[in-house]
Amino acid sequence: MATLSCQFHLAIPRLPCNARVRPSFSCSVQPSQSNIKVVINGAAKEIGRAAVIAVTKARGMEVAGAVDSYCVGEDIGKVCDMEEPLEIPIVNDLTMVLGSISQSKETGVVVDFTKPSAVYDNVKQATAFGLRSVVYVPRITVDTISALSAFCEKASMGCLVAPTLSIGSILLQQAAISASFHYNNVEIVESRAHATDLPSPDAIQIANNLSNLGQIYNREDLSTDVSARGQVLGEDGVRVHSMVLPGLPSSTTVYFSGPGEVYTIKHDITDVQCLMPGLLLAIRKVARLKVTDRIAEYTLCLSSSILFRTLQK
């Protein structure tokens, strides 16, 4: 694809005073940057469908493939209830999609929404075909991240592992870190509609962040074993309470207290759409990487007025 640019050049020769001057212009064709080709692995999931719509609407990128074991053969645009089909069928063979994109020799990114046991092989396949990866898979293990880091560094190929794509969640974590230097008592309370993965990855991430700061919290009942006091994560006394009721929004609240005051930080997720700005940022970032990078821990990076922190190998 090329863009047409016009530059106006005003030519004023020496003519009599009553002569008219006619401006002239010239046109030149300049190459434009091609879109990032995005493959959604786990496209039939709720978050996968939202990602397809978000990528389709975003500038500078386009959906180039949809992979899932469900709805195989169906057009991903129809599965996402879009007004028009995208003419991209869902397939269950990632290698076939990667091969077609690699032949075009354009920048490609695979977004992985699958499961922890499949992540390493998926990233390995994408890297073999010259595509970078964005991984958003809850409960991915530290060992898997370490293996991905070593593999991608050896291959000089970018990979981004995101424990969260929610900008609000990252802002809450950042605020909790700042507050922890001023308060000695902290509790995390979360609510979910379904009893899966509790404590949640967000709660675990916050607790780990606070525990890494060398602070000891809740000294007055640090050793209590009363179940109603919640689960202690780490060795620094950070307690987590998980509440599960159908219909509740996905919510995380961090309570800090000091003499005469209580400081509360809360973040609610009401729709999977809240993850899409972070996803688009991750796609654009990983497309420029040559070494492994990951959004992790409590380190965040300011880019396009969105807070993300990256830990670079």
Side-chain angles (χ1 to χ4, degrees), residues 47-105:
I47 188 173
R49 298 194 302 271
V52 168
I53 296 173
V55 170
T56 301
K57 293 180 179 180
R59 292 184 179 181
M61 62 182 71
E62 61 183 87
V63 177
V67 182
D68 208 302
S69 57
Y70 296 95
C71 303
V72 175
E74 296 186 35
D75 185 273
I76 186 59
K78 291 184 177 180
V79 172
C80 296
D81 294 326
M82 300 178 70
E83 294 182 359
E84 298 181 0
L86 294 180
E87 298 183 358
I88 299 175
I90 298 176
V91 299
N92 58 1
D93 187 351
L94 177 62
T95 304
M96 182 175 66
V97 178
L98 297 176
S100 63
I101 295 177
S102 64
Q103 292 178 0
S104 66
K105 297 182 179 181

Side-chain angles (χ1 to χ4, degrees), residues 70-273:
Y70 296 95
C71 303
V72 175
E74 296 186 35
D75 185 273
I76 186 59
K78 291 184 177 180
V79 172
C80 296
D81 294 326
M82 300 178 70
E83 294 182 359
E84 298 181 0
L86 294 180
E87 298 183 358
I88 299 175
I90 298 176
V91 299
N92 58 1
D93 187 351
L94 177 62
T95 304
M96 182 175 66
V97 178
L98 297 176
S100 63
I101 295 177
S102 64
Q103 292 178 0
S104 66
K105 297 182 179 181
E106 297 184 20
T107 301
V109 173
V110 178
V111 178
D112 196 323
F113 295 131
T114 57
K115 54 186 180 180
S117 61
V119 167
Y120 183 82
D121 289 337
N122 291 342
V123 173
K124 192 174 181 179
Q125 286 187 63
T127 302
F129 284 94
L131 276 72
R132 298 165 177 84
S133 298
V134 171
V135 178
Y136 178 63
V137 178
R139 299 292 179 180
I140 188 171
T141 65
V142 175
D143 291 340
T144 301
I145 294 176
S146 298
L148 286 174
S149 178
F151 172 77
C152 292
E153 186 172 5
K154 184 177 179 180
S156 297
M157 184 64 68
C159 176
L160 193 151
V161 180
T164 182
L165 291 171
S166 166
I167 295 168
S169 177
I170 294 175
L171 291 171
L172 180 144
Q173 293 182 35
Q174 183 71 5
I177 292 166
S178 298
S180 67
F181 293 104
H182 305 281
Y183 299 98
N184 295 323
N185 300 293
V186 59
E187 305 264 335
I188 301 173
V189 179
E190 62 177 354
S191 65
R192 299 291 185 270
H194 306 286
T196 58
D197 293 336
L198 296 175
S200 69
D202 283 348
I204 294 173
Q205 184 73 37
I206 295 168
N208 290 339
N209 291 346
L210 299 179
S211 296
N212 289 336
L213 301 176
Q215 175 81 284
I216 301 297
Y217 307 95
N218 308 319
R219 292 177 182 270
E220 295 181 0
D221 64 347
L222 187 62
S223 60
T224 183
D225 57 357
V226 178
S227 299
R229 287 292 294 114
Q231 179 181 348
V232 177
L233 297 182
E235 300 178 354
D236 299 331
V238 180
R239 296 182 180 275
V240 178
H241 309 261
S242 299
M243 179 171 58
V244 179
L245 285 173
L248 282 179
S250 179
S251 176
T252 302
T253 306
V254 184
Y255 293 92
F256 291 92
S257 72
E261 66 175 342
V262 176
Y263 176 53
T264 306
I265 313 169
K266 185 178 182 180
H267 176 240
D268 294 335
I269 293 179
T270 58
D271 194 274
V272 73
Q273 293 295 331

Side-chain angles (χ1 to χ4, degrees), residues 272-293:
V272 73
Q273 293 295 331
C274 74
L275 306 178
M276 295 304 107
L279 175 64
L280 299 180
L281 175 62
I283 292 172
R284 292 189 174 102
K285 181 173 182 61
V286 80
R288 300 192 299 267
L289 293 180
K290 293 184 180 179
V291 296
T292 303
D293 202 1

